[in-house]
Amino acid sequence: MATPLYRQEGAFLSMGFPLSRVNMSNMLTRGAALLYPFYEYLKHLLINNEKSVLHADETTLKVINVGDKAKKDKCYIWLYTTSMFDLPIYLYEYKYSRQGIWPREFLKDYKGYLVTDYYQGYNHIPNVVLQKCFTHARRKFFDIYKANKDPKIKVIIEMIDDIYRLERKFRDNNLESDEIYQSRNSESYLKVVNTYFNHLTSLNYAPTSITGKAINYSLKNKRELLTYLKDGNIPIDNNLAERGIKPFVINRKNFLFSNTEKGAIASTVYMSVIQTAKTNGLDTNKYLEYLFDELHKLNVINLNLNNEKEKKQAFDEMKNLVP
């Protein structure tokens, strides 16, 4: 419910339960330790997803004590999620920086497509093909149009909207991925896409101007913006991940910061399980209770994740715990 511990402490006290935030914090970290093997199993399922399509996004988190690392104003929560055509899995991961090494490390065993915004930290991940976000391309022009109401900018926005109208038809008609692939590569669809890029090429704005930068973003990233033409399972934008990062942003507005990295990691474990359960239509309270009971029975809290044989056996036992 995105309620920080100090508020819970006061609420419990008003009901006659003197439960300190220190005790609650200890309970949460111990619970996260019990859930962590299941978190790793969800990561295994996500990396080996059926459609070979993932989304990624990130947001900031203030962490007071980052141990022996240099003090930072901003740490980061990274989100990785499966596509809308796949089993919904949401994995949040805490890291103390925004370096590209983190998605490369997280996705080191992944082969497939990755839908992202324009952040360059997602570039150069081995065996990963990027699909960059058309919504970000549109947003750059939309922000300019809001400021100056230039009809030339409105024309560009309408060209992107023409592409989105075609995409909405695919969803409205419940097309399968193979049908979407064929429709996207039809002459009529490609004509709409090419009209947009050809129009941008014909424009003559200074590269350093705001409009010039917006144009160059699309032209420079044309190949990555059009990756979705290769597979009907790839969406045209990263809206799914942007929606997925919002629950953590809402939580952060309430608890403001994590005191330690251990607490930040615990938050990502709970958020991953809760958001995955919610998206699969489960009662999160009942599902957490079920997981705690079953994981305790499996005795996985001391699981050595570096032991492949032990990990495989545990993962086989956790198959029935997935939503």
Side-chain angles (χ1 to χ4, degrees):
M1 296 175 68
T3 308
L5 295 184
Y6 77 90
R7 291 185 194 167
Q8 293 187 43
E9 183 181 46
F12 281 123
L13 186 60
S14 69
M15 293 185 287
F17 299 97
L19 189 59
S20 76
R21 73 188 75 176
V22 174
N23 283 341
M24 285 189 283
S25 180
N26 289 334
M27 292 175 191
L28 284 169
T29 52
R30 290 174 65 185
L34 181 57
L35 288 172
Y36 190 75
F38 184 68
Y39 171 92
E40 283 293 314
Y41 179 56
L42 288 178
K43 178 180 176 180
H44 166 75
L45 294 179
L46 180 133
I47 294 296
N48 296 282
N49 73 88
E50 182 181 342
K51 305 300 183 182
S52 296
V53 177
L54 292 179
H55 293 252
D57 202 0
E58 74 287 336
T59 190
T60 58
L61 173 67
K62 184 177 182 180
V63 179
I64 304 299
N65 185 356
V66 290
D68 58 356
K69 305 177 187 70
K71 186 172 177 61
K72 295 178 178 294
D73 293 331
K74 294 179 182 178
C75 296
Y76 283 83
I77 300 297
W78 300 75
L79 166 67
Y80 304 90
T81 179
T82 49
S83 76
M84 61 182 292
F85 295 103
D86 216 330
L87 173 72
I89 300 174
Y90 288 78
L91 257 289
Y92 301 83
E93 183 182 47
Y94 162 76
K95 292 297 178 183
Y96 64 87
S97 72
R98 202 190 184 198
Q99 293 173 287
I101 186 176
W102 305 128
R104 287 198 294 273
E105 174 64 23
F106 188 94
L107 298 169
K108 64 183 179 182
D109 297 322
Y110 174 63
K111 295 181 180 179
Y113 300 105
L114 180 66
V115 189
T116 71
D117 57 21
Y118 55 88
Y119 176 50
Q120 294 185 357
Y122 296 110
N123 297 346
H124 313 301
I125 301 175
N127 302 311
V128 166
V129 180
L130 293 181
Q131 164 64 46
K132 294 201 175 179
C133 180
F134 244 110
T135 294
H136 280 78
R138 183 186 186 279
R139 193 175 296 155
K140 291 178 181 296
F141 292 112
F142 186 76
D143 289 343
I144 296 169
Y145 182 71
K146 273 201 309 184
N148 63 18
K149 304 299 181 185
D150 184 346
K152 293 179 182 178
I153 302 300
K154 187 177 181 181
V155 168
I156 298 173
I157 294 171
E158 288 172 348
M159 288 179 176
I160 300 176
D161 290 346
D162 287 340
I163 301 173
Y164 269 95
R165 269 190 285 274
L166 294 173
E167 289 292 315
R168 277 194 294 273
K169 283 183 180 179
F170 302 156
R171 292 197 299 272
D172 293 343
N173 293 327
N174 296 316
L175 297 189
E176 298 291 333
S177 58
D178 288 345
E179 295 173 310
I180 293 174
Y181 170 78
Q182 293 172 5
S183 298
R184 283 173 173 171
N185 286 276
S186 67
E187 185 178 346
S188 58
Y189 185 97
L190 292 176
K191 181 180 179 181
V192 175
V193 172
N194 290 331
T195 296
Y196 169 66
F197 285 101
N198 291 339
H199 181 70
L200 294 187
T201 305
S202 70
L203 298 176
N204 188 25
Y205 286 87
T208 55
S209 68
I210 297 176
T211 304
K213 289 178 181 178
I215 292 169
N216 286 337
Y217 171 76
S218 284
L219 294 180
K220 181 180 177 182
N221 294 290
K222 179 179 178 180
R223 182 178 64 181
E224 289 82 5
L225 284 169
L226 296 181
T227 298
Y228 75 99
L229 297 175
K230 297 179 179 180
D231 191 320
N233 291 299
I234 307 172
I236 193 173
D237 54 44
N238 200 29
N239 291 352
L240 185 68
E242 289 197 351
R243 290 193 297 270
I245 206 74
K246 281 183 179 178
F248 197 95
V249 173
I250 293 170
N251 287 355
R252 185 187 62 204
K253 286 181 179 179
N254 286 325
F255 64 70
L256 301 179
F257 60 86
S258 288
N259 189 45
T260 65
E261 291 190 301
K262 189 175 182 180
I265 292 169
S267 297
T268 61
V269 172
Y270 283 112
M271 278 293 300
S272 299
V273 174
I274 289 170
Q275 192 62 24
T276 297
K278 275 185 179 180
T279 313
N280 282 276
L282 300 181
D283 181 315
T284 54
N285 284 340
K286 291 180 180 178
Y287 187 58
L288 280 171
E289 185 178 350
Y290 166 75
L291 281 180
F292 283 130
D293 284 343
E294 295 302 316
L295 290 170
H296 179 71
K297 291 175 188 175
L298 293 176
N299 192 28
V300 295
I301 194 166
N302 295 315
L303 172 65
N304 181 4
L305 291 166
N306 293 319
N307 184 316
E308 290 300 322
K309 183 178 179 180
E310 188 177 335
K311 183 170 74 172
K312 184 179 184 304
Q313 181 180 350
F315 283 2
D316 286 341
E317 293 174 338
M318 284 189 270
K319 285 181 179 177
N320 294 328
L321 305 184
V322 178

